[in-house]
Amino acid sequence: MKRYNKLIGLCSALLVLTTSCDLEETIYSSIYTEAFYKTAADAEKGLVAVYDPLGDMGAGPALTIVSDFSADQCYPRAVVGRNTLTLFAYDANYTTQRTAGRTNESPQQIWASSYDGIEKANWIIEKVPAAIMDETRKKQIIGEAYFMRAFYHWTLTKNFGDVPVKTKPSTSEAEAMIGKSLKADVYKQIYSDLDMALAAGLLSYPAIEKGRPSKEVVNALYAKAALYNEDWQKALQKAQEVISSGKYSLMPDVRDVYRYDKEDAARVENMWAFEVAPVSPGRGHQLTGLCGPPGNAGVDYARTSFGSMFAYQTFFDSFDPADKRRQLLDTTYVNRSGAVVPQRSITPITTQGVLIKKYQDPNTIVGQIPNIPIFRLPDMYLIAAEAEARLNGATAVAYGFVNAIRKRAGLPDLKAGLSKDAFIDAVLQERSWEFFAEGDRWYDLTRTGKFVTEVPKAVNNVYPTRTPTAKNKYFPIPLDEINANPKLEQNPDWK
C-alpha cells in the first residue's frame, strides 16, 4: 500500500512535466473473472453467491408477500405501499414502494434478485468446469447452479409471464441486453436446467447440507414448474418420484412444521426453504414481526412485532373447525400481562383481525429467524392429485393423494363421486388451507384464471372493495428495466 501511494504521488508530480503517466493495476470494482473460479474454494464461494439473491428476496420478503397480499388469504396494514398489492394500485414504476423505501417488498425486487442470481449461476456454469478440484464435487456445484438458474427463471415467469432467458454470463453491457422469450420457451429452459441438475449427482436428504437442494428438491421444482406449465403428465411423474423416494415424510402434527424449536425435525417435510441464520449480522425476514400483534404485545409471537399482516375473516371461516391447520390462525392472543385479548382488540384497524401463527418465535433477539418454506412435501401430494385429475378425472389414485393431506389435518376423506372439475376445485381449496402465508395462493389463482372471480370475495372493512382485472395476471416489468434495456418490451396489458 505504501509503495502504491508513492507511485500515485510520483505520477501526480510528473503530470506537471508530462502529458500522461500510466499505471498498471488489476481492477476489482467491475466484472473480473479471469483469475477466479480456478480452485475448489473459488467454486464454493461462487456458488454461495448464487444463493445470495434468494436472501434478498426473502428479507422483504418479496418472496412471499407479493403473492400473499395480492390473493384472498392475507392482507396488510395499509403502510409503506403494501396496500397497492392488495388494491392492485401499483404502476410499472412501483412508485409507492419506491417512495416508501420498500422496493424489497415489491415485484421489482423479484425481478432484480432473479436476474442477479441467474447471472451468478451463469458464471458457475461457464467457469467451474475448468476448475482444478474434486470432480464429484465440481459436478454437484454445477448441478446446484443449474437448479438455481431454473428456480430464478421459474420465479420470473410466474410473476411476469414472457421474460428474457439468460444462459450466458455478461462481460459487457451489450451482452446483458436481451429481449423476452415466450413463456413456453422459458419453461423449455427450466426443464433443460433441471435435467442437468438431476444428472449432477446431488445428494438426497438427510445427507444434504441445510439450505441446499437435494435430488428430490430438484424433482419438486420440476413438478411445480410442470404444473404451472400445464404439463400434467410431467407434473404427476415428478411429484410421484418425490413421494415414492421415501426420503421425506409428513410430520404427524402439521403445527410442528412451523414450531421455532422443531425447525430441524421439520426438515423431513420442509424440503427446501429460505434458511435464516440466528446470528447478527445475518439473513432475516419480516414475517415474524408482521404477523404478530402490534406493539410487541403477544408473548407467544415475537419479541418485536408490528401487527401489519393478518388473515381475512372469510378465510378463517372457510376452515372446518376440526381442521388442525386452522390452529395456525387465531382470533385471540395472550398479552404480556397474561390477559386474553379478544378479537375486536387484536388490531386497531379492524374488529375482525385474524392472527397468523406460522412464523412465531418468542425468543429471538438478534433477528426474525423462522425459515420460510419454499417446497414442502404436501405440495407434491396435491400436485399429484391435481395432475392425475386433469389427466384421468377424479380417480381413486387422485383421491388417495389429497386424502393423505386431509388425514394429517384431522379431516375425513374428501367427498366421493366428485366430477373432474369439482375435484380440481377441491384440490385448489386444499392447497389454500395447506399453504396460506407461504407465498403460494396468488399463483394458483392466476394460473387457473380464478383470480378475477375469487379475489373480490376476500374483503373486509379495511379493504371493502378489491377489483383485479385481466392485466393483473402478471406484474408489470419494472420501468427501470425497460428504460435500461432497449430490447425489452413491457407486458402487453401494461403498455
Side-chain angles (χ1 to χ4, degrees):
M1 179 64 72
K2 289 182 178 179
R3 182 174 180 273
Y4 182 81
N5 288 338
K6 286 181 179 179
L7 286 172
I8 292 292
L10 177 60
C11 184
S12 298
L14 289 174
L15 280 173
V16 177
L17 303 175
T18 65
T19 57
S20 67
C21 181
D22 294 328
L23 286 176
E24 292 186 5
E25 62 174 317
T26 300
I27 304 299
Y28 292 100
S29 59
S30 59
I31 297 173
Y32 183 77
T33 61
E34 295 308 314
F36 199 63
Y37 304 109
K38 299 289 189 182
T39 66
D42 291 346
E44 297 286 1
K45 291 171 186 175
L47 182 60
V48 169
V50 176
Y51 288 90
D52 190 57
L54 178 62
D56 294 335
M57 278 194 285
L63 183 67
T64 60
I65 62 177
V66 163
S67 168
D68 287 334
F69 288 164
S70 300
D72 58 352
Q73 302 165 328
C74 310
Y75 64 94
R77 188 159 54 94
V79 294
V80 296
R82 294 176 184 131
N83 59 334
T84 65
L85 292 164
T86 303
L87 295 174
F88 307 97
Y90 44 84
D91 56 43
N93 201 38
Y94 299 103
T95 303
T96 305
Q97 286 95 336
R98 290 159 64 98
T99 302
R102 293 289 174 157
T103 301
N104 64 330
E105 298 180 1
S106 76
Q108 184 165 357
Q109 185 68 61
I110 292 174
W111 182 281
S113 293
S114 294
Y115 280 111
D116 182 18
I118 288 168
E119 182 70 13
K120 290 170 178 174
N122 285 339
W123 281 111
I124 292 285
I125 294 165
E126 178 91 3
K127 291 290 187 178
V128 169
I132 300 172
M133 61 179 297
D134 176 78
E135 289 298 318
T136 298
R137 180 57 188 149
K138 177 195 290 186
K139 191 175 180 182
Q140 290 171 346
I141 286 173
I142 297 168
E144 286 186 50
Y146 275 115
F147 168 82
M148 290 303 297
R149 189 168 76 178
F151 173 77
Y152 288 129
H153 275 122
W154 175 67
T155 300
L156 286 161
T157 195
K158 71 179 180 176
N159 282 286
F160 300 99
D162 299 342
V163 295
V165 170
K166 196 164 190 309
T167 59
K168 293 291 183 182
S170 300
T171 57
S172 69
E173 186 176 308
E175 289 178 352
M177 293 182 182
I178 57 175
K180 292 196 293 187
S181 295
L182 295 176
K183 186 173 71 170
D185 292 325
V186 181
Y187 276 103
K188 285 180 183 178
Q189 186 62 52
I190 291 169
Y191 284 13
S192 175
D193 283 354
L194 293 175
D195 286 335
M196 295 296 289
L198 286 171
L202 299 182
L203 301 176
S204 292
Y205 178 82
I208 200 73
E209 183 181 345
K210 295 176 183 180
R212 300 296 179 91
S214 65
K215 177 183 177 182
E216 295 74 32
V217 167
V218 177
N219 274 326
L221 174 53
Y222 219 141
K224 194 79 175 264
L227 183 78
Y228 283 27
N229 195 33
E230 299 185 356
D231 185 353
W232 312 125
Q233 189 62 56
K234 182 73 73 175
L236 177 60
Q237 173 199 340
K238 292 299 182 180
Q240 286 180 309
E241 286 183 26
V242 177
I243 296 166
S244 64
S245 73
K247 298 298 182 180
Y248 296 90
S249 59
L250 300 176
M251 296 194 79
D253 189 335
V254 66
R255 295 166 295 184
D256 287 343
V257 177
Y258 307 96
R259 285 183 59 92
Y260 70 95
D261 54 354
K262 293 194 174 184
E263 180 177 284
D264 284 334
R267 295 180 192 280
V268 72
E269 174 176 327
N270 193 6
M271 301 166 61
W272 193 55
F274 168 49
E275 296 276 342
V276 184
V279 296
S280 182
R283 284 295 193 178
H285 61 75
Q286 297 187 78
L287 287 178
T288 304
L290 293 178
C291 294
N296 315 329
V299 64
D300 291 331
Y301 284 81
R303 290 286 188 97
T304 303
S305 62
F306 320 121
S308 295
M309 179 175 176
F310 305 95
Y312 289 101
Q313 183 71 44
T314 50
F315 177 61
F316 180 80
D317 293 342
S318 73
F319 284 85
D320 185 318
D323 194 328
K324 293 179 181 178
R325 294 169 297 192
R326 196 175 82 157
Q327 296 178 47
L328 293 163
L329 299 164
D330 214 338
T331 54
T332 65
Y333 73 93
V334 178
N335 68 18
R336 296 189 181 277
S337 299
V340 175
V341 177
Q343 185 176 20
R344 65 179 181 274
S345 302
I346 281 178
T347 170
I349 67 173
T350 178
T351 58
Q352 291 190 313
V354 179
L355 291 165
I356 299 164
K357 301 174 72 175
K358 283 191 170 181
Y359 300 101
Q360 290 177 292
D361 182 359
N363 297 323
T364 302
I365 60 174
V366 297
Q368 299 175 24
I369 69 167
N371 290 345
I372 300 176
I374 298 176
F375 293 119
R376 289 199 291 115
L377 185 63
D379 211 350
M380 299 302 104
Y381 280 91
L382 295 177
I383 287 172
E386 182 180 343
E388 168 68 16
R390 300 256 187 204
L391 289 168
N392 304 310
T395 64
V397 172
Y399 268 95
F401 287 127
V402 71
N403 284 337
I405 303 306
R406 290 178 62 84
K407 181 179 180 180
R408 198 268 295 267
L411 297 177
D413 288 350
L414 190 62
K415 179 182 176 181
L418 292 177
S419 68
K420 175 180 177 178
D421 289 344
F423 180 88
I424 291 170
D425 285 344
V427 172
L428 291 171
Q429 181 60 69
E430 206 68 46
R431 293 187 61 86
S432 180
W433 290 326
E434 182 69 30
F435 301 116
F436 73 86
E438 295 180 33
D440 192 73
R441 175 64 170 171
W442 175 246
Y443 308 114
D444 277 344
L445 292 174
T446 54
R447 71 180 175 86
T448 58
K450 294 179 180 292
F451 70 101
V452 176
T453 56
E454 294 303 311
V455 168
K457 301 175 186 177
V459 293
N460 56 18
N461 58 345
V462 182
Y463 299 104
T465 304
R466 301 178 64 213
T467 54
T469 62
K471 77 175 185 178
N472 298 115
K473 179 176 182 178
Y474 295 118
F475 296 103
I477 295 173
L479 189 59
D480 284 352
E481 305 297 332
I482 301 290
N483 292 336
N485 182 359
K487 295 183 179 180
L488 188 60
E489 294 184 11
Q490 184 58 271
N491 288 334
D493 289 338
W494 284 93
K495 286 185 178 179

